[in-house]
């Protein structure tokens, strides 16, 4: 049903933004079917009226080719086209209004690539061509002429609230991306819609828009891969179908067409080139790759301590314990519950964790409770940092704490406000001295929706009726049983004075670090990737003063738009309007930006502000921030967990597609779902399988909702064993994946890879999303069917080796079956690589870093292998010393080259060579040798330092 109380279509494009739903709207139950019933037959498109070339680009003026169709708004009569060859691998094509009024993503949120960059068209791998009347364009490969993007025969629509553009595709294309979504990794291409508009999406439903916005797709073809990125934060439906020929079309409710075409030609090349557009991701602390435990519903500080201790009792490594909103006073951010999480006991908890080399993380939401004075409210009012209605009053919503205000991240005081809260609260006295941060509900989520069909209540009445906040759990004066390893203050009977000492807590002083600003670790490997030279004197192409071309008060958005239920309504899974389950989309934020345009940036902007606030707390340390909502480029500030999934086998299987999206496509390498599922009760078998699969997520956390049964790994003997097995492999490989993540931060090379990234010419791999490569070469093939003890997995035409035994397995481009116990997972080494591993696992990553190395050599079909190892202190934002070590194994000689400035305090204790058909005469002196004839594995016990070059003749 269309929204009726709207401004007339014929309104002139002048005036101010007008709120639309002062008195509510007619009841609406779904977004409608505008996508499927649209009639663009009367749209004539545009024609080129003038065009000219420069040394590195092409520019044109466009005008309507005929009468305006005004199908979902008002056609803009004139447009301009900008085509820029920025590098030989990147082509920028932009279609926009002539006076910079239409909204564009602000440069402050998304800094544009291309400053000082230009390329002659004759040197580019991509070529732009156009037809003048009606205007259409193609992007093709220069060397082969293959057309990659083709709008020929279609009509461009550019209205004040609707943009349409359609490209032809080859039949049965292999497309990936356009997230965030929980669909198959390779996208369906028949009657398939990808809606991009961030929202709170409990259960992560398939076929709907989820928490993040990433309008990038990879198009993989037999002759090469290319990428298409649309820089646009407005809501959009991207529709893919083959009726009348294969195509992909954009249906967007605002903004401009701001395309970046990237040439590849390999999938990993596209990933690296995309990283140059969105900026490479940030590096995380070493400890952040350990195992994390959380639950929504931990009763008090005693339960958090008991859970931590129980992991130790059951010999399951636990790096970090988390607390959800339970630690807050009535769910108000930047507060502690004085009865269940009193500050002195929280301090004892955190000090004890730190003394045990463990870590502590809590959640912070954006919404600020406003009905009573509290620090976050008082400071926000002082800084004038909250979003406001058009009449100047603060916008009111309802979230967990009840009636709430929302920070306006565009406000110039927002960062100072947010940082001040972190410094004042997370100081170890007023609140916990947290080691990292979790941010949630930042789409932003809002329970009190406008429009209000049949709901004329106030936020206060709504919150009370819906128990926001609910009654807290009972108060205890101590735990029910002793908690081993924790001080008397966290033991039974402490409050009644029946203990012998008050608070025997070991405190850990944070070591001082060098004040040097020399950023190491961005040297050898980064410089090995060719970067297009920059000429700062050249500035931005076409004489622009900024990357977007927008001046200080430009590109804020057209006036007189329908901002709650626009004329073209996207397929929003949250409901029939843009404002369902979120902040009102007619709010005008600081600087004149409207939530209609910037909604999908809210979580990304909170991420940036939170990253900066955490850096202010610990300026020397890398900031680990885990967020729910993301936008293109968020990886430069944060990592991501996949939101509120379900404890079922479908969520378990789909998690592989989801982690691959973020790590291999969107440049957010540290990512994972809630292991064992968030919603509902997990079964023992599923949790056991998930514990082993989760050991190969780059972010590994067990988390459940308040109404679910407890699912900590130690709750079941089988799950505990599976967790010990999985974590043991994970920790042995921790430096291997740490190195892969580091390389992604330097070059954009993905740290997780779908099979086709490693085998781009094997068509059988294109649709596989139940297996993946952890790092460059660890092939993970989990059991994915309920109650099954077997797995069928694909092995490309290559040599692989079994994890554990090292036995060679020759792949022939076909599926192989294996029996797999419920406590194990199928893992293979890909041949041709050298894998740096720790000799054994440990209970914490601090202890792990004291273990020596086992260098596993998995020769390829040609008998050689290569690999890398990155070493640093694991924590510092600015490293004084690092090592970037390259390994090679050629003709029986193992060599180490590179930089060796960082001394890890341990060396190589073992070199393991796989695929050795017969015991050789080992040339290495002073090496104790073991040979496993059955599995063709040779082991050398050595003492090789990691502080200098080395060459060892093995055979």
């Amino acid at each position: 049903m269309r929204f009726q109380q709207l401004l007339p279509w014929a309104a002139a494009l002048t005036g101010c933004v007008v709120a639309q739903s002062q008195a509510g709207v007619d009841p609406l139950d779904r977004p409608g079917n505008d996508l499927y019933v649209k009639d663009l037959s009367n749209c004539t498109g545009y024609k080129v009226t003038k065009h000219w070339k420069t040394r590195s680009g092409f520019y044109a003026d466009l005008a309507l080719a005929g009468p305006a169709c005004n199908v979902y708004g008002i056609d803009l009569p004139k447009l301009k086209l900008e085509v820029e060859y920025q590098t030989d691998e990147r082509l920028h094509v932009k279609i926009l209004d002539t006076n910079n009024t239409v909204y564009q993503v602000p440069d402050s949120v998304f800094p544009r690539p291309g400053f000082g960059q230009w390329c002659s068209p004759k040197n580019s791998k991509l070529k732009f061509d156009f037809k003048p009347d009606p205007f259409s364009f193609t992007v093709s490969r220069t060397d082969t002429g293959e057309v990659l993007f083709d709008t020929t025969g279609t009509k461009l629509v550019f209205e004040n609230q609707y943009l349409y553009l359609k490209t032809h595709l080859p039949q049965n294309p292999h497309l990936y991306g356009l997230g965030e979504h929980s669909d198959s990794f390779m996208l369906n291409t028949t009657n398939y819609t990808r809606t991009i508009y961030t929202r709170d999406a409990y259960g992560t439903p398939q076929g709907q828009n989820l928490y993040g916005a990433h309008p990038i797709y990879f198009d993989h073809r037999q002759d090469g891969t290319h990428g298409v990125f649309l820089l646009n934060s407005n809501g959009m439906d991207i529709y893919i179908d083959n009726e009348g020929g294969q195509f992909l079309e954009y249906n967007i409710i605002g903004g401009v067409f701001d395309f970046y075409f990237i040439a590849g030609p390999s999938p990993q090349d596209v990933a690296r080139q995309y990283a140059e557009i969105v900026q490479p991701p940030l590096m995380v602390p070493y400890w952040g790759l350990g195992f994390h435990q959380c639950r929504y519903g931990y009763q008090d500080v005693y339960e958090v301590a008991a859970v931590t201790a129980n992991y130790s009792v059951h010999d399951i490594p636990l790096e970090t314990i988390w607390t959800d909103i339970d630690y807050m006073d009535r769910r108000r951010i930047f507060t502690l519950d004085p009865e269940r999480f009193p500050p002195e006991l929280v301090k004892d908890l955190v000090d004890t964790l730190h003394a045990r080399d463990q870590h502590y993380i809590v959640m912070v939401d954006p919404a600020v409770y406003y009905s009573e004075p509290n620090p976050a409210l008082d400071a926000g009012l002082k800084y004038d940092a909250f979003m406001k209605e058009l009449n100047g009053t603060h916008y009111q919503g309802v979230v967990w704490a009840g009636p709430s205000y929302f920070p306006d991240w565009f406000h110039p005081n927002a960062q100072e406000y947010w940082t001040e809260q972190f410094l004042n609260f997370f100081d170890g006295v007023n609140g916990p001295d947290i080691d990292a941060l979790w941010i949630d509900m930042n789409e932003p989520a809002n329970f009190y929706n406008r429009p209000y069909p049949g709901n004329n209540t106030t936020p206060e009445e709504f919150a009370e009726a819906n128990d926001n906040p609910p009654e807290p759990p009972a108060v205890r004066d101590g735990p029910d049983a002793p908690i081993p390893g924790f001080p008397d203050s966290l033991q039974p009977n402490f409050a009644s004075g029946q203990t012998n000492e008050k608070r025997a807590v070991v405190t850990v002083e944070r070591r001082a670090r060098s004040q040097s600003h020399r950023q190491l670790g961005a040297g050898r490997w980064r410089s090995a990737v060719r970067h297009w030279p920059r000429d700062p004197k050249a500035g931005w192409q076409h004489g622009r003063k900024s990357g977007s071309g927008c001046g200080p008060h430009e590109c804020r958005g057209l006036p007189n738009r329908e901002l709650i239920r626009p004329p073209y309504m996207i397929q929003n899974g949250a409901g029939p309007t843009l404002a369902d389950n979120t902040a009102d989309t007619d709010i005008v934020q600081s600087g004149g930006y409207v939530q209609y345009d910037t909604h999908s940036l809210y979580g990304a902007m909170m991420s940036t502000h939170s990253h900066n606030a955490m850096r202010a707390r610990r300026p020397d340390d890398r900031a680990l921030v885990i967020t729910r909502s993301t936008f293109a480029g968020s990886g430069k500030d944060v990592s991501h967990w996949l939101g509120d999934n379900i404890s079922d086998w479908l969520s378990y299987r789909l998690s592989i597609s989801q982690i691959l999206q973020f790590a291999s496509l969107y440049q957010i390498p540290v990512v994972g779902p809630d292991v064992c599922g968030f919603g509902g009760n997990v079964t023992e078998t599923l949790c056991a399988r998930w514990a082993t699969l989760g050991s190969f997520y780059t972010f590994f956390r067990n988390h459940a909702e308040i109404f679910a049964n407890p699912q900590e790994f130690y709750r079941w003997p089988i799950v505990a064993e599976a967790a010990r097995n999985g974590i043991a492999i994970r920790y042995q490989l921790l430096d291997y994946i740490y190195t892969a993540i580091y390389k992604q931060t330097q070059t954009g090379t993905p740290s997780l890879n779908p099979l086709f990234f490693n085998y781009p010419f094997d068509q059988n791999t294109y649709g596989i999303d139940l297996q993946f490569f952890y790092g460059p070469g660890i092939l993970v093939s989990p059991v994915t069917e309920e109650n099954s003890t077997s797995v069928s997995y694909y092995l490309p035409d290559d040599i692989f080796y079994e994890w554990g035994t090292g036995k060679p397995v020759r792949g022939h481009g076909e599926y192989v079956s294996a029996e797999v116990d419920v406590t194990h997972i199928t893992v293979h080494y890909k041949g041709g690589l050298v894998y740096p591993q720790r000799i054994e696992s440990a209970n914490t990553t601090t202890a792990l870093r004291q273990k020596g190395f086992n260098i596993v050599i998995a020769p390829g079909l040609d008998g050689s292998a290569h690999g890398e190892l990155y070493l640093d202190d694991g924590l510092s934002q600015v490293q004084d010393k690092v090592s970037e070590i390259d390994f090679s194994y050629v003709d029986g000689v193992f060599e180490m080259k590179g930089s060796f400035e960082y001394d890890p305090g341990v060396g190589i204790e073992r070199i393991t060579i796989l695929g050795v058909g017969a015991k050789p005469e080992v040339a290495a002196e002073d090496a104790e040798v073991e040979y496993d004839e059955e599995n063709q594995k040779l082991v050398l016990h050595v003492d090789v330092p990691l502080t200098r070059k080395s060459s060892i003749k093995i055979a």
Side-chain angles (χ1 to χ4, degrees), residues 192-269:
Y192 179 66
T193 304
R194 283 294 320 115
T195 299
I196 300 180
Y197 184 75
T198 63
R199 73 172 181 107
D200 182 355
Y202 181 87
T204 61
Q206 290 186 277
Q208 297 187 22
N209 51 312
L210 301 181
Y211 309 102
H214 298 272
I216 166 79
Y217 72 83
F218 287 37
D219 184 342
H220 179 63
R221 305 180 184 181
Q222 191 68 19
D223 295 330
T225 309
H226 68 276
V228 180
F229 172 53
L230 173 64
L231 178 54
N232 185 305
S233 64
N234 287 86
M236 65 183 76
D237 290 329
I238 299 174
Y239 184 64
I240 308 171
D241 197 12
N242 58 6
E243 183 176 352
Q246 191 72 57
F247 65 87
L248 178 150
E249 65 178 35
Y250 294 89
N251 300 268
I252 316 171
I253 62 172
V256 303
F257 290 115
D258 195 355
F259 286 107
Y260 292 86
F261 297 94
I262 41 187
S266 77
Q268 293 192 351
D269 288 335

Side-chain angles (χ1 to χ4, degrees), residues 90 788 855 878 892 903:
R90 183 172 74 236
S788 176
I855 304 301
V878 178
D903 184 356

Side-chain angles (χ1 to χ4, degrees), residues 371-570:
S371 290
E372 295 176 2
N374 63 83
L377 172 67
D378 299 341
L381 295 174
K382 179 184 75 172
Y383 284 109
D384 193 27
F386 297 128
M387 293 200 296
K388 294 181 179 179
E389 302 274 12
L390 287 171
N391 62 10
T393 62
H394 290 102
Y395 171 70
Q396 299 174 345
V398 175
V399 195
W400 297 118
S404 300
Y405 296 154
F406 296 84
D408 181 350
W409 304 119
F410 281 104
H411 197 284
N413 296 334
Q415 186 64 69
E416 185 177 1
Y417 161 63
W418 202 239
T419 298
E420 181 180 285
Q421 306 318 298
F422 278 70
L423 293 174
N424 291 344
F425 180 65
F426 293 120
D427 62 352
V429 177
N430 297 302
D433 179 20
I434 56 173
D435 300 293
L437 178 68
W438 176 23
I439 53 177
D440 187 19
M441 308 293 286
N442 54 343
E443 292 74 31
N446 173 28
F447 306 153
Y448 181 68
N449 293 298
R450 193 177 80 180
Y452 315 122
N455 174 16
N456 296 314
T457 186
T458 65
E460 291 77 8
E461 292 171 342
F462 180 91
E464 182 176 0
N466 288 275
D467 292 325
N468 297 124
E471 284 295 318
V475 176
R476 301 190 294 172
D477 60 5
D480 299 329
I483 304 176
F486 282 79
D488 283 357
S489 60
L490 296 172
Q491 302 297 339
N493 304 315
F494 176 77
S496 60
Q498 297 180 20
T499 56
N500 293 325
E501 62 177 301
K502 288 295 181 182
R503 202 169 270 119
V505 178
V506 177
T507 59
V508 177
E509 293 187 8
R510 302 189 64 78
R511 62 184 177 86
R513 295 196 179 86
S514 167
Q515 297 303 306
S516 167
H517 295 285
R518 187 166 66 107
Q519 177 60 65
L520 297 178
R524 298 175 55 262
W525 290 343
R526 187 167 181 80
S527 63
V529 177
R530 193 179 69 80
H531 289 270
W532 196 256
R534 296 177 184 272
D535 177 8
K537 294 181 181 179
W540 299 103
Q541 288 196 31
H542 201 44
R544 298 193 311 271
K545 300 300 183 182
S546 66
S548 65
C550 300
H553 303 290
E554 295 180 326
C555 308
R556 298 305 201 258
L558 292 166
N560 294 341
R561 292 179 292 165
E562 304 175 11
L563 301 173
I564 299 291
R565 170 101 176 183
Y568 176 91
M569 182 59 204
I570 59 171

Side-chain angles (χ1 to χ4, degrees), residues 893-905:
V893 177
F894 170 69
E895 283 193 301
M896 291 168 33
K897 297 180 180 179
S899 65
F900 299 88
E901 294 186 25
Y902 181 79
D903 184 356

Side-chain angles (χ1 to χ4, degrees), residues 595-909:
Q595 263 285 299
Y596 175 95
D597 299 311
T598 65
H599 165 84
S600 289
L601 300 177
Y602 193 90
M605 296 184 72
M606 182 185 180
S607 295
T608 301
H609 284 73
S610 299
H611 170 90
N612 294 340
M614 289 295 287
R615 287 294 320 283
R617 287 184 62 246
R618 295 183 180 178
D620 293 330
D621 293 356
R622 295 170 182 155
L624 175 63
V625 180
I626 305 294
T627 184
R628 189 168 77 176
S629 185
T630 58
F631 185 73
S634 287
K636 67 181 174 55
D637 295 315
V638 291
S639 300
H640 176 56
W641 110 99
L642 294 167
D644 298 337
N645 63 349
I646 302 299
S647 298
D648 62 16
W649 285 86
L650 179 61
S651 292
Y652 165 85
R653 288 190 292 268
L654 291 174
S655 70
I656 300 174
S657 165
Q658 292 173 290
I659 63 171
L660 289 176
Q661 284 179 56
F662 280 89
S664 64
L665 305 182
Y666 308 149
Q667 290 297 329
I668 302 180
V670 178
V671 58
D674 287 337
V675 171
C676 297
F678 178 74
N681 295 321
V682 70
T683 64
E684 179 180 9
T685 301
L686 175 57
C687 199
R689 291 293 188 200
W690 219 328
T692 59
L693 174 57
S695 297
F696 296 92
Y697 301 144
T698 41
F699 174 60
F700 183 21
R701 183 186 68 166
N702 182 329
H703 180 46
E705 69 176 347
I706 193 169
F707 301 111
N709 292 334
Q711 64 184 40
E712 291 83 7
F713 289 154
Y714 57 76
R715 300 286 179 177
W716 304 270
I718 289 177
V719 177
E721 182 180 353
R724 284 190 287 268
N725 292 339
I727 295 173
I729 301 174
R730 179 184 186 85
Y731 279 21
Q732 288 176 69
L733 288 169
L734 209 63
D735 292 85
Y736 158 84
I737 198 64
Y738 185 73
T739 299
I741 292 169
Y742 169 74
K743 284 206 70 175
Q744 186 160 2
T745 71
Q746 299 301 299
T747 69
T749 302
S751 53
L752 300 179
N753 291 274
L755 268 65
F756 86 89
F757 270 40
N758 282 348
Y759 299 93
F761 303 110
D762 183 349
Q763 298 186 42
N764 295 326
T765 65
Y766 297 173
I768 293 177
D769 58 8
L770 295 179
Q771 298 171 253
F772 64 99
F773 282 101
Y774 182 67
I778 294 293
L779 179 60
V780 182
S781 306
V783 171
T784 56
E785 297 299 325
E786 186 174 6
N787 298 323
S788 176
T789 57
S790 66
V791 61
S792 177
Y793 57 93
Y794 185 78
L795 285 182
D797 183 10
D798 204 347
I799 185 69
F800 297 86
Y801 304 87
E802 293 179 352
W803 175 268
T805 67
K807 182 179 180 179
V809 180
R810 183 64 168 91
H812 297 285
E814 58 190 19
Y815 280 84
V816 180
S817 296
E819 291 295 313
V820 186
D821 185 82
V822 71
T823 61
H824 290 80
I825 188 169
T826 302
V827 177
H828 290 87
Y829 298 100
K830 178 184 182 295
L833 295 174
V834 176
Y835 299 83
Q837 299 176 192
R838 296 284 177 168
I839 285 288
E840 59 184 356
S841 183
N843 281 328
T844 66
T845 61
T846 299
L848 182 67
R849 289 173 66 89
Q850 298 168 10
K851 307 288 185 181
F853 279 88
N854 172 23
I855 304 301
V856 177
I857 300 170
L861 292 173
D862 64 358
S864 68
H866 302 270
E868 297 143 339
L869 174 62
Y870 173 70
L871 297 170
D872 66 9
D873 70 15
L875 186 61
S876 298
Q877 176 69 18
V878 178
Q879 295 286 334
D880 287 334
K881 296 180 179 180
V882 305
S883 294
E884 294 176 341
I885 303 171
D886 293 306
F887 300 118
S888 67
Y889 178 75
V890 180
D891 296 330
V893 177
F894 170 69
E895 283 193 301
M896 291 168 33
K897 297 180 180 179
S899 65
F900 299 88
E901 294 186 25
Y902 181 79
D903 184 356
V906 297
I908 300 173
E909 299 179 11

